[in-house]
Amino acid sequence: MIQYTTNTYSIELDEEKGHISYLKMYQKECIKDTLLPLFQIQMRDEKGQIHRINTYDGKLASKEQNENKYTLIYRGFAPYQLEAVVHLEMGAEKITWWIEVHNCPELYCMEWIDFPQIAVCNDLKSSGGESQILWGYNEGIIVEDIQLRESLDEFAYKEPTYPSEGLMGMYPAVVELQFMAYYNSAGGLYLGTHDANGYLKGIDFHSEGSGIKLQFRHFCGCSFGEAYQMDYGFVMQAFLGDWHDAAEIYRRWFDEHKNKAFIPIEENPNLPEWYKDSPVVVTYPVRGRHDMDIMNPNKLFPYVKALPHIERYAEETDSRVMALLMHWEGSAPWAPPYVWPPYGGADALEQFGDRLHKKGNLLGVYCSGISWTEQSNVVKEYQTKEQFQKEHLEQYMCVSPTGKLEYSHICRAQRSGYDMCISQEFTKNVISDEVKHMTEAGIDYIQVLDQNHGGTPYFCYSRKHGHPPVPGKWVSEHMVDFLERLKKYTHADGKRVLLGCESAAAETYIPYLLFSDNRFNITYRFGG
C-alpha cells in the first residue's frame, strides 16, 4: 500500500489490487464506495473488434520508490503480453501521473487508455450534498445534478464512437478545456492533463456504481504492435474555493507552457481592425424561414434587400453590424463541402458586400463543416451520387474500425452523406478552394466549421489513409495543418478574414478560429 499525506491531501494507492482506495483533498473525502481499476486499455484486433483489459486483469510485477517518486510495473494480462508502467510523483499539493505500455502484440493496436480511473462521491447538490463538478464543455459548465443530464438523450454520456457526433465528450472539441474539478466548501479535487500540444482525449463524466466517474481517456493513435508512452503529465491537485480556483490552476500552467501561436488579443496581428469594435451580429436566412421548410427565396433576397434593416440596426446600436447569412449556399443549405457560387450568383453577393462595406458594416457566412453531402433533404434536386461514384470519393471518407463506410450522424435531417477524413489532401483541398472563393469575394468572416463543435474533425479508422488505424494525436495535428493552410487565403493581399466554428473554439484551435458561435443553450440545458 502506497500512502502519502501532505498538508493539502492524502492518498492511498493499493498497488497490489491496482486501484486508488482513498483520496482526500483538504477536508473533502473524494472516494467512498466505488473503486475503479487504476487503468483500462482498449485495443482493436485486425478485424476491428474490441479487446479491453484493466489493472485487475494483471499483476503487480515490481515497484520502485525513489523518495516521492514511484514506478509500478504490471504484467500478466493473459493472453496479451502487455507490460504497463505507471509512474507517479507526489508533490506538496499535487500528484502527477504518467503511463507507458509496451509489448503490444502485432495483431492488436491500442486505441485508448483510461487513466487514472477515479469515481468521486455522488454528493452533488441535487442529491442532498453540496458538491459540484466543473466540466470544460462548451466554455464551461457547473454540474449539480447528474440525473438531469442522463435523462436528456441528446446530452447524456455517450461512448465516443464512429460515426462521430458533435456533442460527444471529446477534447479538443465541444469539450474545450482539458481539466475538470470536483469540490465543495471542505476542499476540491482538480484533475487535468497538462498537454501543451492539446492532443485528442475523451474528457467526460458519468454514473459509475454509487459514484461518478471523472473520465480522462487518452487516445493512443498507435499502429499495430506499437507501444504507447504518455508524453504529458496528468495532475491531481488539492485546492480550496470554487471553480475559479480550479481554473486558476490550469491557467497558471497554460500561460507558462502555451506555444507561440497563442497571442493576446491586443497584440495579435491576425485580427482585422474591425474586431476591436465588437460588431453586432445579425444572423438570418435568405431562403425559407426555418431549417427544414421550403427553400424558396424570402423577403431578404436578393441580398441587398436586407440593407435597410442592417443600416437601421447599425444606427440604433451605434455599432458596426455583421450580416451573417444562412441558406446562402449555391448547392443547398447545410450541404457541405461545396457552397460556391452563392445562391443567386457571385455578383449579387459581392454587390451586397460592397454596399455593406461602404457603410462600415461587414459580411459573414455560415458553412457546414468537414462533411460530404450525397443528398440534400431540403433541396431534393441537389445530390452528388454520380460524382461520388465516378471519382471514387469513398477513399477519402472516414470509415469504421471494420473498414465500413457509414452515413454521417451530423445534420441528418438536412442531408445524408459522409464524414470526410481530415488527414486527406482531398479534404483539405476541397474546403480550401471554397474558402479561396469566399475570401476573394470580400467576405469578412466564414464560420467554416459549423457542426464541427470546437473545431474538431471526425473519427476515422482507415488503414489506407496514411494515419494510424485508430484516433490519436494525428487528428489534432492534421486539423492544425489544415487551418494553417487556410491562412494562404485568409491572409492574402493584406486581408484578415476571420474563421470560426460552432461552439467556442477548443483550446488547440483558438489561434485559428478567432470569432466563433458559442452555444450557451447547450450547457444551459443541464447546468447548475
Side-chain angles (χ1 to χ4, degrees), residues 110-151:
M110 285 183 283
E111 183 175 5
W112 51 254
I113 302 175
D114 277 1
F115 170 80
Q117 294 199 119
I118 181 174
V120 298
C121 305
N122 187 358
D123 59 352
L124 302 185
K125 288 189 173 183
S126 67
S127 303
E130 61 166 311
S131 295
Q132 298 174 308
I133 291 172
L134 170 67
W135 185 32
Y137 182 90
N138 204 62
E139 288 204 308
I141 178 171
I142 295 171
V143 178
E144 298 178 343
D145 185 345
I146 191 168
Q147 282 74 35
L148 174 61
R149 181 195 180 194
E150 294 179 347
S151 69

Side-chain angles (χ1 to χ4, degrees), residues 197-321:
N197 293 307
Y199 289 148
L200 191 70
K201 305 171 186 72
I203 301 178
D204 210 333
F205 66 95
H206 56 86
S207 294
E208 187 80 32
S210 62
I212 300 172
K213 182 180 180 182
L214 303 183
Q215 180 168 287
F216 283 79
R217 180 167 290 179
H218 314 269
F219 281 81
C220 302
C222 289
S223 298
F224 284 91
E226 185 179 358
Y228 172 77
Q229 184 166 349
M230 200 166 117
D231 58 1
Y232 50 84
F234 179 95
V235 172
M236 290 181 173
Q237 185 162 336
F239 70 93
L240 289 171
D242 61 11
W243 69 266
H244 300 83
D245 301 278
E248 186 61 27
I249 296 171
Y250 186 79
R251 182 61 178 262
R252 286 196 300 267
W253 170 81
F254 180 82
D255 281 344
E256 186 176 343
H257 294 87
K258 65 187 176 187
N259 66 48
K260 63 182 181 181
F262 289 85
I263 305 170
I265 286 175
E266 65 273 14
E267 302 170 15
N268 195 337
N270 299 313
L271 293 171
E273 283 299 310
W274 58 258
Y275 190 92
K276 68 182 67 171
D277 296 335
S278 190
V280 172
V281 178
V282 178
T283 304
Y284 61 93
V286 297
R287 284 197 275 176
R289 297 177 61 196
H290 309 290
D291 268 352
M292 296 301 296
D293 61 350
I294 297 172
M295 286 297 143
N296 292 331
N298 61 35
K299 294 179 179 179
L300 297 174
F301 185 85
Y303 303 101
V304 293
K305 284 191 173 182
L307 286 169
H309 305 289
I310 299 300
E311 291 168 7
R312 176 169 56 86
Y313 290 141
E315 182 178 352
E316 291 180 357
T317 61
D318 191 23
S319 174
R320 290 179 184 259
V321 171

Side-chain angles (χ1 to χ4, degrees), residues 36 53 55 72 77 139 173 191 232 245 261 325 367 437 479 500:
L36 301 178
I53 61 171
T55 323
L72 311 174
F77 301 97
E139 288 204 308
L191 301 169
Y232 50 84
D245 301 278
L325 305 183
C367 297
H437 289 307
M479 192 65 195

Side-chain angles (χ1 to χ4, degrees), residues 154-222:
E154 185 178 6
F155 299 108
Y157 172 79
K158 296 181 179 69
E159 282 281 300
T161 55
Y162 171 93
S164 294
E165 296 179 15
L167 300 181
M168 289 174 173
M170 296 298 301
Y171 166 89
V174 72
V175 178
E176 297 167 1
L177 297 167
Q178 54 183 330
F179 74 93
M180 283 197 282
Y182 163 73
Y183 58 92
N184 63 27
S185 60
L189 168 64
Y190 164 94
L191 301 169
T193 47
H194 288 189
D195 170 17
N197 293 307
Y199 289 148
L200 191 70
K201 305 171 186 72
I203 301 178
D204 210 333
F205 66 95
H206 56 86
S207 294
E208 187 80 32
S210 62
I212 300 172
K213 182 180 180 182
L214 303 183
Q215 180 168 287
F216 283 79
R217 180 167 290 179
H218 314 269
F219 281 81
C220 302
C222 289

